[in-house]
């Protein structure tokens, strides 16, 4: 089945530094990947849609300059949290649709990244 | 705007019991509905995917139904086990969109 690998699984960084999170589709090509944020006891909130070879589409209220998304290949999307602050501490999860082409395919999620900014 | 609601928010049952988790959505123009499981601090594992034209899907002890016209889906878990303890999320994909809208989940605890 489709596998999405996300790294790191957890990271602690100092306030003001930047952190990069990687999301890879291991056995299929993903032209589109999605980045979510999850607060404790809350559901997943879509942050942005990452499109291979083009600019990401951000949801309303998400700062594109703070959360930089790059989707340079069909198997890799990265999320960089720039100038991180404690309020950016959260659980970030990526997902991709596939690995079969065509309709009716569900979404596969990465294992998530717990970011703590101190 | 699509809204997804899951009831109950938490559920505790003894091992061996059959149980039903509920998911409702406000806009019936969906493309499909997907049930996920999330363990604490982990990502999401897909359990079942139901297309808008389908009524139900089954996988092992899990059965998911979909009533699009009434905006409801249920996840039935038979003969529950402690290993089933997790948060169960349902997500709706809207027609014409690739985005998923999630409910807040039902936290299930199965007691030995």
């Amino acid at each position: 089945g489709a596998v999405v690998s996300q790294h790191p699984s957890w990271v602690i960084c100092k306030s003001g530094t930047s952190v990069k999170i990687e999301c890879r589709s291991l056995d299929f090509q993903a032209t589109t990947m999605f980045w979510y944020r999850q607060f404790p006891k809350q559901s997943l909130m879509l942050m942005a849609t990452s499109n291979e070879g083009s600019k990401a589409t951000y949801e309303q209220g998400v700062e594109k300059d703070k959360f930089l998304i790059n989707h340079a290949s069909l198997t890799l999307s990265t999320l960089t949290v720039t100038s991180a602050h404690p309020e950016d501490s959260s659980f970030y999860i990526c997902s991709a649709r596939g690995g079969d082409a065509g309709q009716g395919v569900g979404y596969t999620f990465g294992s998530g990244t717990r970011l703590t900014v101190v | 705007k699509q809204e997804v609601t899951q009831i109950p928010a938490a559920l505790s049952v003894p091992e061996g019991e059959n149980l039903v988790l509920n998911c409702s959505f406000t806009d019936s123009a969906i493309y499909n509905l997907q049930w996920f499981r999330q363990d604490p601090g982990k990502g999401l594992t897909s359990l079942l995917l139901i297309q808008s034209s389908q009524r139900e899907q089954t996988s092992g002890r899990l059965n998911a139904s979909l009533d699009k016209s009434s905006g409801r889906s249920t996840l039935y878990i038979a003969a529950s086990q402690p290993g089933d303890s997790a948060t169960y999320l349902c997500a709706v994909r809207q027609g014409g969109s690739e985005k998923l809208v999630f409910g807040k989940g039902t936290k299930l605890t199965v007691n030995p």
Side-chain angles (χ1 to χ4, degrees), chain A residues 3-74:
Chain A
V3 177
V4 172
S5 175
Q6 185 173 342
H7 292 281
S9 57
W10 61 271
V11 58
I12 301 174
C13 71
K14 291 184 177 181
S15 185
T17 61
S18 296
V19 174
K20 180 184 285 187
I21 303 170
E22 292 189 348
C23 181
R24 294 181 183 272
S25 57
L26 295 186
D27 48 3
F28 66 100
Q29 294 182 333
T31 56
T32 304
M33 291 186 177
F34 305 87
W35 288 95
Y36 293 84
R37 184 172 179 175
Q38 186 178 32
F39 293 100
K41 298 184 179 181
Q42 296 293 318
S43 188
L44 279 73
M45 297 299 296
L46 180 64
M47 298 174 64
T49 303
S50 167
N51 302 294
E52 187 269 335
S54 65
K55 292 184 178 179
T57 303
Y58 290 81
E59 295 300 300
Q60 190 174 11
V62 177
E63 299 177 60
K64 58 182 67 177
D65 294 331
K66 157 140 318 260
F67 300 100
L68 298 179
I69 292 173
N70 184 278
H71 196 156
S73 78
L74 288 171

